[in-house]
Amino acid sequence: MSLGRLALLLSLGLLCLSLSLSVSAQSEEDEDLLEDLNDVDVEDEDLELRGSPVLTACVPLSVQVTYKAPEPRGEHYFAESFDRDTMDGWVLSSAKKEDADEDIAKYDGKWAVEEMKDTKLPGDKGLVLKSRAKHHAISAQLLRPFSFTNKPLIVQYEVNFQSGIDCGGAYVKLLTQTPDLDLAQFVDKTPYTIMFGPDKCGEDYKLHFIFRHKNPKTGEYEEKHAKKPDSDLRTYYTDKKTHLYTLVLNPDNSFEVLVDQTVVNSGSLLTDMTPPVNPAAEIEDPDDHKPEDWDERAKIQDPDATKPEDWDEDAPAQVPDESAVKPEGWLDDEPEYIGDPDALKPDDWDEDMDGEWEAPQVPNPKCETAPGCGEWKRPMVDNPNYKGKWKPPMIDNPNYQGVWKPRKIPNPAFFEDLEPFKMSAFSAVGLELWSMSSDIFFDNFFITDDRNAAERWAAEGWALKKTAESAAEKTPAAEYKKTDEPQPDVKEEEEEGQEEDKTSPGNTTQLHYKTCRGQCFKGLV
């Protein structure tokens, strides 16, 4: 069976493996099944990945997947999977944050390299932010500085909010290459070229893409923020799954932000950043002021109009309806409410202290069948003679000069940078974070200018993790329904599989799927 075919079946939930991993049958029956699968001709475009009937009429098959750390291939500037079980190459900041209380100013948040708490891939390790309500800062040098020339920049890494996220970030900073860059003194004010990644506080779900642009006239840097994604980001912060965040910058100034290899935001560095990269060519003259006699009133009251003699400003807006007739049976002498005849004065009532006792009011039972009780009054209606206070009618202002605006002058700060992609080179990647939640899991950092290299790295890392997590969700559904007939053979196979799980050597995980012998493919080809 080809790796492409295996990857296709993996995406359907039929098999679980990384493209770089081996698959072994656990029985003669499984060997036959793998041969059957190899004979099936399935085209990608014929598949429906969601709501597929593939999982409805299948028999269990155990496929052993051995975790193997992804290997960087192709041109790259940084690759880190943490599967060496060490933070070698990473530098913890020993600095203090300025303008912060002394008790929280230190970057003393704890980091660890470990597996996820509920890992589906034993042996897969990542960098974990361990502390709550602490400043964290850790960074690592690239293999060599990245310079923006004629190739794209691709940055990708994984995040899993294992314990959810209340208020905190999980973004990365690409630290600008400067002569005095000291990773041990990495703080929030350390110059960076790009900041990218998820951030949340309360109900504000963000996915940052910020770059610092150098003003060619002043030499000063200004942060440029990408527009907010249209997609609903909530799920990525709440489902406790591992998500792959990718930023792609192209030499033509276009950008893409992807989550799990799906574009959630895109645009141009020239037109979709706030504030804009290039300032306006003209600005309003700050020294220009509106003349005192400038008339901006489009309409004015007619100066020649006079109030009509019969205009009554004192007429009320509403008057009693003279045509109304009191309904027959109206009880004029009966009040709507009466004292409760069944109420008794409390024994401890003291009239000197509490005043004269009165029974609580209840609806008058005599009014229940009558159209009404009490004094009848005519209902009020709009007064046809009401005109209100007289005002002269409005007419066009013959002296109208329009809304005044200051005149435009050339912007003295104007410049035109048509290649904002050519940002400051960066030489390190860092995490400088404050979080009210712990156990944020980071993994598989990769920086490259080769799209194929990034895709291979994702296929060997995140794709395997996603498949393992999906398999864990699907496993309960693979049990036989309560209405199915007893399956003794299958039960024995499951028990044997569980026994094998206990004795399997190495960092392996036994993923049990419902797969099939031809029947399931009828709806796919």
Side-chain angles (χ1 to χ4, degrees), residues 1 6-7 27 33 86 125 183 185 240-241 246 305 331 349 380 391 418 429 431 443 459 499 501:
M1 185 183 296
L6 288 175
S27 66
L33 178 53
T86 177
K125 292 181 170 60
L183 299 188
Q185 295 299 309
K240 297 185 181 180
K241 294 182 180 179
T246 306
L331 303 177
W349 187 274
M380 302 297 285
K391 293 180 180 180
L418 298 180
V429 58
L431 298 166
D443 202 5
E499 191 65 31
D501 289 349

Side-chain angles (χ1 to χ4, degrees), residues 29 81 109 217 243 353 359:
E29 184 178 0
S81 68
K217 297 194 71 170
H243 295 290
M353 296 290 294

Side-chain angles (χ1 to χ4, degrees), residues 27 227 298 435 502 525:
S27 66
K227 63 180 182 179
S435 178
K502 297 178 182 178
V525 296

Side-chain angles (χ1 to χ4, degrees), residues 115 237 277 394 436:
E115 295 182 1
Y237 299 79
V277 168
M394 303 298 289
M436 293 302 295

Side-chain angles (χ1 to χ4, degrees), residues 160-176:
N160 187 310
F161 296 111
Q162 300 182 87
S163 301
I165 181 71
D166 179 23
C167 186
Y171 44 79
V172 298
K173 290 182 177 180
L174 307 181
L175 304 183
T176 305

